[in-house]
Amino acid sequence: MKSLFDQDTYTEIEQRIHLLSSTNIPSWGKMNVSQMLCHCKYPLKIALKNNLPKVKPNLLAKLFFKKSMYNDKPWRKNLPTHPRLKVIEPKVFETEKTELLELVSIFFKQRDKKDWAPHPIFGNFTPEQWGQLQYKHLNHHLQQFNV
């Protein structure tokens, strides 16, 4: 499984984000590209403990979905999004793109960090699992917009 803590994978994700434009159309889902960029910031903010949306732990999610967060099996299209992580309001493309790239960089620079706080819904992840989770989420949404 690829990890956002790997240099080549980080570079790949960064390049794919740069390929996005405000005119990209999703292959599935309700978000436009600006909303998707904003949505993709949430898992990084959760990992970095930066302006977290308040979410409650969910035992069913932890038991049944946690392992899918960091394995090689692709997520299916149109998975439900936690209500606190949905982006419905309009967003400014360039602002969201710049902020996402900054968060991806900050996350990558913490690749040697050993002690990560628990995820508010899924609990503890190893550093390796955090890197895999971030890659998988970004990859899922970049594929949504064909990059």
Side-chain angles (χ1 to χ4, degrees), residues 62 66 70 115-127 129-130:
K62 191 173 180 179
K66 183 176 179 179
Y70 51 84
D115 187 30
W116 290 82
H119 189 283
I121 296 174
F122 299 106
N124 292 320
F125 286 114
T126 66
Q129 291 167 341
W130 272 115

Side-chain angles (χ1 to χ4, degrees), residues 76-139:
R76 66 179 171 83
K77 298 170 183 175
N78 294 310
L79 283 171
T81 300
H82 190 286
R84 295 274 190 181
L85 305 179
K86 285 185 179 181
V87 179
I88 300 166
E89 65 279 355
K91 295 293 179 181
V92 177
F93 175 79
E94 286 302 329
T95 301
E96 297 303 328
K97 185 175 178 179
T98 299
E99 289 176 3
L100 178 59
L101 285 164
E102 183 178 336
L103 283 169
V104 167
S105 175
I106 291 167
F107 183 82
F108 173 73
K109 288 175 184 170
Q110 294 199 29
R111 63 191 173 276
D112 294 325
K113 181 178 174 178
K114 300 295 180 210
D115 187 30
W116 290 82
H119 189 283
I121 296 174
F122 299 106
N124 292 320
F125 286 114
T126 66
E128 180 181 39
Q129 291 167 341
W130 272 115
Q132 292 167 337
L133 159 63
Q134 298 301 336
Y135 170 77
K136 189 167 185 175
H137 185 250
L138 290 165
N139 181 60

Side-chain angles (χ1 to χ4, degrees), residues 16-17 19-21 24 36 139 141-147:
R16 289 170 66 193
I17 293 170
L19 289 173
L20 290 167
S21 75
N24 281 88
M36 177 275 290
N139 181 60
H141 285 293
L142 291 170
Q143 287 178 337
Q144 178 185 10
F145 286 85
N146 303 304
V147 295

